[in-house]
Amino acid sequence: MQSEENVVLRAKNRDVEAFALLYENHFDSIFRYIILRVGNHAEAEELTQDVFVKAFQSIISYEWRQIPFSSWLYRIARNQVIDFVRRNRKVNTTTIDEQISAGVDDPVELAEKWMKIKEVSAAISHLTEAQQEVVALRFSSGLSTAEAAHILGKSEGAIKALQHSALVSMRKLFKE
Amino acid sequence: MMKSRDDSEDKLNKALEDVLKGKSPDLTSQDLAEFSEELKPLIKVAAEIKSTCSINASASLKLKVKNRLSLEAEKKKQRVFNFGMLRLFRWAVAPTIIVIVLLISFALVAGAQYAMPDSPFYSVKIWSENQRLAFTTTELGKAELHIVFSNRRVDELKHIASKANVKDIETLSANLTGHLMFVVNTTQKYAAVVPAAEKAPATISGPHAMLEMTPTPIPAPTPAPVQLSPEETTALKRLKSSISNSSDIALAEVKGAIATAPDSVKPAIAQLFQSAEQRCQQALVNLQGY
């Protein structure tokens, strides 16, 4: 088993296999973060691609500082999402696409899954920007409080407070 | 109140960590103590979001991204091939440019040595001659160079004489006069150091016989005597020999040019001949004691 630092150093030296390993480890969680933020699978696919291409292009400038590599990827993803939201103030409605794998084979079940994602994404869009970030990083990507704090440049206490207030708001929104 | 809120957030966070690790929301709610009522619904909301978003990217998307990354890797390799070496030797860029500029300059100057007055590179030739003069420190060395350059002017005259361009010939004539005047003035300084008793009558043999026929009186130099070093004496002898040999051939060539030149430029060339002949004669008279 290779340490992440070792893999990152190899990827920095243009080792494509090492980058592929990083990609395998983080692709799904980045995709989940983006899909919840943009609520549109086609855009989420594009943005996820862009995140990894950008990471590949600029990994040479990445400095290992005992911080998980995923933090760097999430920062790229976050910037991509911010740019996307800036460009598209009105987010497109989500369409059902059989190409998206939600771990379900049944088209009806898949459609229901996407409807739920759309609802959650729509509800999240009513939160503040910081709350949206915390919800996406914590509950969609499954990051720890410490990781989310590092990515967003906030303290763990602030992340706890944000997730609390975000969940309170989400509960109200779901009730409505 | 503040402590209670912090406790509530901590309890919620702990429960959420468990939910994110896959524990059931009902099981995590057991540890919430007095916050149970407040936090239970929030944990359920979090669990619902987690469950809703538990999707993976499709295999086709992953393949698409992999292909795109492979393309990027290929592009990078090409870029490294194209620019990697340049980047590696970037310290050498400035010296290389300097060397290239110097090589071009040398090539230009070397090529210009054969330029004629009607060539665009002729000014480069004159400039390089002036540089050579500037870097020559002794008067006698400069005088020798002026003799060399005088010969070049005569060669140029031969080239342009047939083109009937009076202006070019006048320019050449002025340049030639400048060279010879320098030689005359220099030799005149050294003529002063030769004791009058040692001076033999000016007898110039061979092709210079014609110079003897020139009726122009040459004033005898009179300044105070100066002691010469052996090197200077040798240089003066060499200069005298150089003037003597060059003027024989050069004057003959100018005469030849007069014969072949169109009528329109003949007077200008004749005037040049007369002036050059007179100055060569004067320089040789100045150096007759050596």
Side-chain angles (χ1 to χ4, degrees):
Chain A
M1 185 74 181
Q2 295 181 69
S3 70
E4 190 175 50
E5 180 181 3
N6 200 356
V7 177
V8 170
L9 286 176
R10 279 173 49 211
K12 261 175 78 90
N13 290 322
R14 297 273 169 242
D15 183 334
V16 180
E17 279 182 26
F19 192 83
L21 203 60
L22 294 169
Y23 156 89
E24 288 291 344
N25 290 343
H26 302 289
F27 195 86
D28 285 328
S29 60
I30 293 283
F31 177 70
R32 283 198 289 268
Y33 164 79
I34 293 175
I35 195 106
L36 194 64
R37 291 299 319 274
V38 301
N40 177 312
H41 85 265
E43 297 294 352
E45 278 192 349
E46 276 301 310
L47 290 175
T48 310
Q49 277 194 63
D50 291 346
V51 168
F52 281 91
V53 170
K54 210 161 200 174
F56 183 76
Q57 286 170 341
S58 50
I59 194 166
I60 202 152
S61 63
Y62 175 78
E63 294 287 330
W64 178 265
R65 290 186 185 128
Q66 308 301 325
I67 295 160
F69 178 71
S70 58
S71 300
W72 185 64
L73 283 178
Y74 276 103
R75 282 197 183 161
I76 297 175
R78 194 174 159 232
N79 290 335
Q80 292 288 106
V81 169
I82 290 168
D83 284 348
F84 169 79
V85 172
R86 221 174 272 157
R87 282 198 311 268
N88 308 272
R89 286 283 170 204
K90 283 169 79 180
V91 177
N92 299 334
T93 53
T94 307
T95 54
I96 308 302
D97 189 328
E98 60 277 9
Q99 291 228 322
I100 297 293
S101 158
V104 280
D105 297 327
D106 181 8
V108 179
E109 209 181 325
L110 186 65
E112 282 175 2
K113 184 98 184 164
W114 277 103
M115 284 304 289
K116 275 189 176 177
I117 291 174
K118 189 184 170 187
E119 279 172 23
V120 172
S121 182
I124 277 180
S125 67
H126 290 93
L127 303 178
T128 65
E129 184 66 30
Q131 286 173 336
Q132 287 182 39
E133 294 279 9
V134 171
V135 169
L137 291 171
R138 291 280 284 136
F139 311 129
S140 191
S141 292
L143 299 188
S144 68
T145 319
E147 286 171 321
H150 186 263
I151 291 163
L152 300 176
K154 295 182 188 296
S155 67
E156 285 190 48
I159 299 296
K160 285 176 192 171
L162 280 167
Q163 78 182 356
H164 185 274
S165 61
L167 288 171
V168 170
S169 303
M170 290 288 281
R171 192 189 165 207
K172 281 182 196 163
L173 288 164
F174 282 158
K175 268 186 183 173
E176 289 164 9
Chain B
M1 180 69 181
M2 197 70 177
K3 188 179 182 304
S4 164
R5 188 177 177 140
D6 285 351
D7 285 350
S8 159
E9 284 169 0
D10 283 342
K11 289 273 183 200
L12 174 67
N13 193 56
K14 193 174 176 306
L16 290 175
E17 293 290 349
D18 289 341
V19 169
L20 291 173
K21 280 174 192 160
K23 211 170 167 183
S24 157
D26 293 328
L27 289 172
T28 56
S29 304
Q30 290 167 3
D31 304 325
L32 299 175
E34 75 268 27
F35 303 107
S36 180
E37 203 175 319
E38 177 204 343
L39 299 182
K40 247 183 179 176
L42 302 186
I43 292 166
K44 278 190 177 165
V45 169
E48 202 179 327
I49 298 170
K50 180 187 175 267
S51 159
T52 305
C53 298
S54 61
I55 49 167
N56 288 333
S58 65
S60 62
L61 171 63
K62 287 183 177 176
L63 189 66
K64 201 172 155 188
V65 178
K66 268 188 181 172
N67 289 339
R68 203 170 148 192
L69 289 174
S70 300
L71 274 175
E72 284 295 319
E74 280 301 311
K75 272 192 215 165
K76 285 272 175 200
K77 267 186 200 167
Q78 280 172 6
R79 265 179 236 152
V80 167
F81 178 76
N82 291 337
F83 302 109
M85 296 300 279
L86 265 183
R87 203 171 293 154
L88 200 63
F89 294 107
R90 112 185 103 183
W91 57 269
V93 172
T96 307
I97 290 171
I98 291 169
V99 167
I100 290 170
V101 169
L102 283 176
L103 283 176
I104 291 171
S105 306
F106 282 131
L108 191 66
V109 170
Q113 297 312 306
Y114 304 98
M116 291 294 148
D118 51 358
S119 159
F121 295 108
Y122 186 69
S123 55
V124 178
K125 183 181 184 176
I126 299 297
W127 176 84
S128 73
E129 287 179 359
N130 289 336
Q131 297 313 302
R132 280 184 70 183
L133 285 169
F135 283 101
T136 307
T137 48
T138 62
E139 288 286 292
L140 291 174
K142 283 180 199 263
E144 276 191 73
L145 271 182
H146 277 289
I147 292 296
V148 172
F149 298 153
S150 303
N151 289 334
R152 286 187 185 178
R153 299 296 90 84
V154 172
D155 284 342
E156 290 159 15
L157 175 76
K158 272 161 51 190
H159 177 80
I160 61 164
S162 58
K163 295 186 178 168
N165 189 333
V166 180
K167 199 182 168 193
D168 279 349
I169 289 170
E170 280 173 354
T171 309
L172 263 184
S173 178
N175 286 342
L176 183 61
T177 305
H179 293 310
L180 294 177
M181 277 306 293
F182 185 93
V183 177
V184 169
N185 290 337
T186 306
T187 53
Q188 200 158 11
K189 287 178 200 165
Y190 289 95
V193 302
V194 182
E198 288 178 23
K199 277 191 181 176
T203 51
I204 302 157
S205 59
H208 284 287
M210 65 176 181
L211 299 178
E212 287 181 308
M213 304 301 288
T214 311
T216 317
I218 298 157
T222 50
V226 180
Q227 195 66 38
L228 286 180
S229 67
E231 290 80 19
E232 281 177 310
T233 311
T234 312
L236 281 165
K237 282 180 180 167
R238 200 170 56 234
L239 179 63
K240 183 185 176 185
S241 160
S242 178
I243 297 168
S244 172
N245 294 335
S246 299
S247 60
D248 288 347
I249 301 164
L251 289 172
E253 282 179 345
V254 175
K255 260 193 167 175
I258 295 170
T260 57
D263 289 343
S264 59
V265 293
K266 269 183 181 164
I269 300 175
Q271 199 177 350
L272 182 150
F273 175 83
Q274 202 176 355
S275 163
E277 184 186 39
Q278 199 173 350
R279 285 184 172 82
C280 287
Q281 187 186 3
Q282 194 168 351
L284 285 170
V285 169
N286 288 339
L287 296 174
Q288 63 188 316
Y290 296 97

